[in-house]
Amino acid sequence: MAPRRRRAWPAAAAVFVEAVVAVGFAAEAADMVQERLTVGMTIVADAASTGAGKPRRDPPRFFPFLLIAVCLDGSPPAYHLHRGSGAGARSWLLQFEGGGWCNDVRSCAERAGTRRGSTRLMTKVEVFSDILSNRPFMNPDFYNWNRVKLRYCDGGSFSGDSEYKNGSSVLYFRGQRIWDAIITDLLQKGLAKAKNVLLSGCSAGGLATFFHCDSLKERLGGATTVKCLSDAGFFLDL
Ligand SMILES: *[C@@H]1O[C@H](CO)[C@@H](O)[C@H](O)[C@H]1NC(C)=O
């Protein structure tokens, strides 16, 4: 009897410990789900070739070339903005979404029909976590900054300015115009008065960071400190 009891004791203890651990994880998971920050999409409608959106002060109908900041499939570009507050109210973190590239008409036509080439097919609400989080203990440096996720839909790291037409289909390579349109929109929403701006992105978004760091600094002028963080954005052509 004695040996059996000795064996039974640790087993019971283990079950008890597991139960406590499981309750602990469940509580933590519930806490994280509850505090998860979700941010809705802002469509840059004035930039769309469809001309949708409100009339602008400088009527775009006289400048049709201004209306072609569009994704691969012709849908309007978009971003997600969560406003800063307190000491971070005049600081902005801009983050390019990553997601590789397309390389030719076939692969870009394919991409145009996915969430990587069309804002129509994207999730309209994004979870802001990590460097986009609004929780001080998770994101101590930027939690109270204005934080923006720039959606990636041009297939070429927010660069390029041309079109492909073959009679039956059109592909838009307007990454440069998407970048210009989003920044123009954000300038009106407070970016023009920023004290600090950090431009960042990973992979294809890291390359976009290299492409646009200098021009952003020029556009914002001397009163704004602009820094750029390219995460895995340099690609060797081997
Ligand atoms: C035009 O390009 C698309 C995308 O690659 C292709 O599916 C289509 O067959 C092409 N049409 C013509 C007429 O070449």
Side-chain angles (χ1 to χ4, degrees), residues 42-231:
T42 300
I43 301 268
V44 186
D46 284 355
S49 61
T50 56
K54 295 174 205 151
R56 307 193 325 177
R57 256 175 288 151
D58 48 345
R61 78 190 62 156
F62 302 121
F63 305 97
F65 58 89
L66 288 176
L67 293 175
I68 48 178
V70 289
C71 301
L72 272 172
D73 71 329
S75 58
Y79 61 83
H80 302 251
L81 162 65
H82 193 252
R83 290 278 182 188
S85 61
R90 285 182 62 197
S91 294
W92 290 71
L93 171 71
L94 310 180
Q95 190 189 61
F96 288 114
E97 184 178 25
W101 304 267
C102 53
N103 306 301
D104 50 27
V105 168
R106 194 193 55 76
S107 66
C108 290
E110 206 174 286
R111 192 179 175 102
T114 73
R115 68 188 170 91
R116 298 258 182 242
S118 173
T119 48
R120 287 185 193 112
L121 303 172
M122 285 179 183
T123 50
K124 303 299 186 289
V125 171
E126 283 287 285
V127 175
F128 271 29
S129 59
D130 305 313
I131 201 172
L132 294 176
S133 168
N134 63 339
R135 298 159 79 185
F137 61 91
M138 190 183 265
N139 187 19
D141 295 307
F142 308 106
Y143 73 96
N144 61 356
W145 287 35
N146 299 278
R147 299 163 334 279
V148 186
K149 181 170 187 171
L150 288 75
R151 298 310 294 269
Y152 178 35
C153 67
D154 64 283
S157 279
F158 293 81
S159 71
D161 189 11
S162 67
E163 273 175 33
Y164 167 85
K165 282 183 187 149
N166 70 357
S168 70
S169 62
V170 189
L171 290 173
Y172 299 91
F173 302 103
R174 300 295 186 184
Q176 177 65 45
R177 288 176 189 271
I178 289 173
W179 162 253
D180 291 337
I182 290 179
I183 291 302
T184 299
D185 198 79
L186 292 176
L187 284 170
Q188 296 161 6
K189 292 184 173 168
L191 180 63
K193 290 184 181 148
K195 279 191 295 191
N196 304 297
V197 176
L198 177 61
L199 183 64
S200 70
C202 181
S203 188
L207 186 59
T209 304
F210 281 131
F211 288 157
H212 297 300
C213 185
D214 290 345
S215 72
L216 180 63
K217 170 99 190 121
E218 272 166 35
R219 250 186 117 170
L220 287 168
T224 309
T225 302
V226 177
K227 297 189 179 182
C228 298
L229 170 68
S230 174
D231 179 1

